[in-house]
Amino acid sequence: MSAVAVAECWRDGRRQHALGRVLDVCDIRDVDLAVAQAAGRAFAEVPDASTTDALIAAEAAQVGATLVTSDSVDMRRLADVSSS
């Protein structure tokens, strides 16, 4: 899981016990230069998406992870660009 994804969903650790338990078993990955560059390329192709979503999609593409999201339209477009 991208550290950016954690930032996107983490609001208040005192009330997010279930999320905290899930994060305990996740491999949290920092954004590196290759991911940042891939996200930039994806963001250029899908400019109405958010930078955060572009980073998450690029990280998922780099490690072959499955994206789980409530914003399937933008994320699908970003994932398609990121995986090509």
Side-chain angles (χ1 to χ4, degrees):
M1 174 184 281
S2 172
V4 175
V6 175
E8 180 77 7
C9 64
W10 192 266
R11 300 291 185 240
D12 181 354
R14 296 171 297 173
R15 297 187 305 175
Q16 293 188 281
H17 300 292
L19 177 58
R21 286 193 302 273
V22 170
L23 293 175
D24 285 342
V25 297
C26 288
D27 176 25
I28 307 300
R29 301 176 56 89
D30 293 333
V31 173
D32 62 18
L33 180 59
V35 169
Q37 289 171 329
R41 289 189 297 273
F43 192 48
E45 296 292 321
V46 188
D48 54 324
S50 71
T51 304
T52 300
D53 285 351
L55 286 163
I56 292 168
E59 181 72 41
Q62 184 183 59
V63 300
T66 300
L67 285 168
V68 178
T69 180
S70 62
D71 183 6
S72 61
V73 174
D74 282 346
M75 291 303 276
R76 181 171 288 121
R77 292 169 55 210
L78 288 164
D80 288 345
V81 172
S82 294
S83 62
S84 59

